[in-house]
Amino acid sequence: GTDGNPFLDVRVREALALAIDREAIVSRIQFDSGEPAGQFAPAGIFGHDPDLLPTEYNPDRARELLAEAGYPDGFGLTVHGPNDRYINDGIVTQTVGQMWAQIGLDVAVETLPFNVYSGRATAREFSAFLFSFGITTGESGLGLRNVLATYDEERGWGANNRFRYSNPEFDETLAAAFAEFDDAEREALLQQAVRIAMEDYAITPLYWEGNNWAVRQGLVFSPSPDGRSLMTNLSSAD
């Protein structure tokens, strides 16, 4: 029994992941700016696992999994998202809601201004909701610790874990990564941690937002994978 919470069953989480057509979201809503994601950190970020691909779009398998989990007729949920924070965030939220309705869920969608939305998300008022995390440290560990580690205020873990996901195997692997000084070993542990979380469908990555810069003639801008705009990325074209 999942005590009335379908999300506690990994088959339900996998079904919801399979029901989303990430390619369509990137091509039609984001005008091909960005790419479908299968994990937290994009290529170029330390800890990215090149073997972790985005979940394939397979609505038939999603319906099978829902039935196996005891929800042959689906269940009701409200999907929440911001409407002024990320590129086309309101449309993305609506689209994910429609994709979930297509596998038999009874879906309502509510989008809100971010200043209202973020507080309510942190107060854990939502069940399924859209959020992003910007990696500014050049490695995946901080994001994994903030979003997916078991919430522990004293330890400072799970600060952005608004859904209180908890997986001891993930926590142990991540802690080992933070204690490891050898770069190759640490990266392997970060990759192992993200694999544990993704195979458990802890979150459903959608896409990495595309970043676009314009510079005047004579200048070259070399983007960094964290998406920040730094003067050091700018050089002359000579």
Side-chain angles (χ1 to χ4, degrees), residues 21-33 57 88 91 95 99:
D21 187 343
R22 290 160 187 74
E23 298 277 354
I25 290 175
V26 170
S27 64
R28 294 178 206 160
I29 300 174
Q30 305 296 32
F31 304 104
D32 278 328
S33 178
Y57 175 54
N88 299 326
I91 306 169
T95 303
M99 289 172 176

Side-chain angles (χ1 to χ4, degrees), residues 57-132:
Y57 175 54
N58 190 339
D60 293 335
R61 179 68 186 134
R63 289 186 199 97
E64 283 173 17
L65 281 165
L66 283 181
E68 283 172 30
Y71 301 98
D73 305 315
F75 53 86
L77 84 159
T78 302
V79 184
H80 284 90
N83 55 25
D84 59 359
R85 173 71 171 183
Y86 319 120
I87 301 163
N88 299 326
D89 47 10
I91 306 169
V92 169
T93 307
Q94 293 279 356
T95 303
V96 169
Q98 287 162 4
M99 289 172 176
W100 285 346
Q102 283 167 3
I103 60 162
L105 301 188
D106 180 15
V107 181
V109 175
E110 189 179 347
T111 63
L112 304 156
F114 189 76
N115 62 345
V116 177
Y117 171 81
S118 60
R120 288 186 58 188
T122 300
R124 298 170 57 216
E125 292 181 26
F126 306 146
S127 55
F129 56 99
L130 178 74
F131 240 97
S132 82

Side-chain angles (χ1 to χ4, degrees), residues 6 25 35 61 73 81 87-89 92 110 113 115 131 145-146 154 158 164-165 174 190 194 197 199 211 214 235:
I25 290 175
E35 62 178 291
R61 179 68 186 134
D73 305 315
I87 301 163
N88 299 326
D89 47 10
V92 169
E110 189 179 347
N115 62 345
F131 240 97
R145 187 180 73 188
N146 280 2
E154 280 181 36
R164 297 297 187 263
Y165 175 75
L174 188 61
L190 288 172
V194 75
E199 284 166 11
N211 292 301
S235 58

Side-chain angles (χ1 to χ4, degrees), residues 89-219:
D89 47 10
I91 306 169
V92 169
T93 307
Q94 293 279 356
T95 303
V96 169
Q98 287 162 4
M99 289 172 176
W100 285 346
Q102 283 167 3
I103 60 162
L105 301 188
D106 180 15
V107 181
V109 175
E110 189 179 347
T111 63
L112 304 156
F114 189 76
N115 62 345
V116 177
Y117 171 81
S118 60
R120 288 186 58 188
T122 300
R124 298 170 57 216
E125 292 181 26
F126 306 146
S127 55
F129 56 99
L130 178 74
F131 240 97
S132 82
F133 190 91
I135 292 173
T136 54
T137 53
E139 50 79 49
S140 62
L142 188 68
L144 295 174
R145 187 180 73 188
N146 280 2
V147 178
L148 292 173
T150 301
Y151 180 76
D152 185 336
E153 203 172 3
E154 280 181 36
R155 194 181 185 188
W157 284 44
N160 302 108
N161 184 344
R162 295 179 174 89
F163 35 91
R164 297 297 187 263
Y165 175 75
S166 180
N167 181 329
E169 190 192 356
F170 170 84
D171 290 344
E172 282 167 28
T173 309
L174 188 61
F178 279 119
E180 178 57 63
F181 284 96
D182 179 84
D183 278 354
E185 287 287 316
R186 188 166 78 253
E187 181 154 44
L189 285 163
L190 288 172
Q191 290 169 334
Q192 190 187 336
V194 75
R195 272 197 302 276
I196 291 164
M198 293 300 100
E199 284 166 11
D200 199 27
Y201 295 90
I203 52 172
T204 304
L206 296 180
Y207 52 87
W208 294 298
E209 261 188 8
N211 292 301
N212 302 287
W213 288 268
V215 292
R216 64 181 169 80
Q217 210 170 348
L219 293 175

